[in-house]
Amino acid sequence: EAFRAVDAYAHELLEAWGDEAEPSAEALSLLIKLYNAAEAVPEEALHACERLRLVALTVRVAELLDFSASGGEGLPHALEAAVALWLEDVGRVAGGGRSAAEWDWADGLKWIRDVGHDAINNVSSQPTCTQEGPSDDDAKTLLGKVMAAVLFISRTVIPTPQPLPSAIGEVQAPGSAGAPARDAMEERLLSDEPASSTALPSSGASPRRRS
């Protein structure tokens, strides 16, 4: 039942997230429920939950785009290009030109994450470098498109979750517990990911949206 709860809460969280890098208050409340439910699920089972993995990778990519928009040196061309290519894949799957069963959406998001970290590190170490071409989409616009694609994956590509079981755990105030729960969930789920994906450059700007 706890695994069903994790999948269902992850689905509801993505539905409530919105199109900003920072999840909505409703989504943060659901994140607390998700985290509480995940505490009762073995590590291997958590890694088998596709929708939970989608949540964790979405957090990573959203942070990168938000950092570029609000605290970095602008949207790196390499990151923009990686997102654009992945969105093309989403469009092909949505249009029936590619089989959803054969599409590795997680690999694409991990690629965006890795390209983004490398690009931001390069821009931070070489502040005089410029983008290689004009940018039609800024980071916030791309983030909105990514969130729409994430919803498509959760609703269409990943099997529909079973109905939510009885409530597991109490919801804490999102302002006080949302970020710690999110960080703990990311650390547990992505503990096998490359170390390069764990932190953005320390330039004095936070990768998370500031209030």
Side-chain angles (χ1 to χ4, degrees):
E1 182 171 298
F3 182 88
R4 281 175 41 219
V6 167
D7 188 41
Y9 286 138
H11 177 268
E12 294 300 320
L13 188 161
L14 291 172
E15 290 290 326
W17 186 308
D19 59 1
E20 300 287 337
E22 183 73 14
S24 68
E26 179 185 357
L28 287 175
S29 295
L30 287 162
L31 180 63
I32 303 302
K33 286 190 174 185
L34 186 158
Y35 180 68
N36 289 341
E39 287 288 280
V41 179
E43 198 80 20
E44 289 186 7
L46 279 182
H47 282 272
C49 182
E50 286 191 277
R51 195 170 277 106
L52 180 59
R53 192 158 190 78
L54 178 60
V55 170
L57 288 169
T58 298
V59 169
R60 296 288 199 226
V61 172
E63 283 179 347
L64 286 167
L65 291 173
D66 185 55
F67 181 79
S68 297
S70 62
E73 301 289 341
L75 180 64
H77 178 77
L79 175 57
E80 179 186 2
V83 173
L85 285 173
W86 184 73
L87 289 174
E88 286 180 9
D89 269 352
V90 175
R92 280 192 286 271
V93 174
R98 182 172 183 179
S99 168
E102 298 175 355
W103 179 44
D104 192 342
W105 56 264
D107 189 60
L109 284 174
K110 286 188 286 185
W111 179 58
I112 292 172
R113 177 204 62 196
D114 293 343
V115 167
H117 274 280
D118 288 345
I120 287 174
N121 280 326
N122 289 337
V123 169
S124 298
S125 62
Q126 304 175 31
T128 58
C129 70
T130 57
Q131 293 192 19
E132 298 174 8
S135 174
D136 295 326
D137 293 321
D138 62 16
K140 290 184 178 180
T141 300
L142 277 183
L143 178 58
K145 293 180 178 179
V146 167
M147 294 310 301
V150 165
L151 280 178
F152 167 75
I153 294 169
S154 181
R155 294 170 178 173
T156 309
V157 179
I158 300 175
T160 303
Q162 298 182 37
L164 277 168
S166 56
I168 299 179
E170 293 297 322
V171 178
Q172 303 176 41
S176 62
R182 176 175 53 198
D183 292 343
M185 180 271 293
E186 291 176 54
E187 182 178 357
R188 186 178 180 197
L189 184 65
L190 298 183
S191 59
D192 61 336
E193 296 298 334
S196 62
S197 70
T198 59
L200 291 173
S202 56
S203 61
S206 169
R208 297 198 185 283
R209 185 171 298 279
R210 297 181 293 275
S211 57

